[in-house]
Amino acid sequence: MMKQREVTDQHGTTWTCVQAYAGVDSAAAEQATELAQAADGSVTVVCTPSGGAQTKRLDLAADWLDSLTDDELKNALDAA
């Protein structure tokens, strides 16, 4: 099952964020996930908004699902 997080920013936009390639059940997807992890340990997270705003790609720590607070995730979205 794909793990995702939702946060709502100060503009009332709800963002659904998921790690790129996560949740695809295959050996190729597992390898892609490993390759997607940068040398510094960060991973690409794709955040899709409700409404008409643009999808954003964030580079976050590999443990972002558990370690990042909602406020930190919102700050990353604002900065992107």
Side-chain angles (χ1 to χ4, degrees):
M1 171 137 164
M2 185 167 29
K3 294 180 182 174
Q4 63 185 35
R5 280 184 57 187
E6 285 188 356
V7 292
T8 302
D9 66 19
Q10 68 273 19
H11 307 293
T13 301
T14 300
W15 294 85
T16 302
C17 299
V18 63
Q19 185 173 326
Y21 307 112
V24 180
D25 193 15
S26 73
E30 192 172 314
Q31 184 177 11
T33 300
E34 289 175 20
L35 292 173
Q37 187 164 336
D40 64 0
S42 66
V43 294
T44 300
V45 176
V46 179
C47 296
T48 306
S50 60
Q54 187 76 27
T55 295
K56 295 185 179 183
R57 297 175 73 87
L58 309 176
D59 291 322
L60 301 176
D63 62 350
W64 69 278
L65 267 169
D66 300 316
S67 68
L68 219 59
T69 66
D70 283 353
D71 284 338
E72 289 170 329
L73 188 51
K74 287 183 221 176
N75 289 341
L77 283 163
D78 284 342

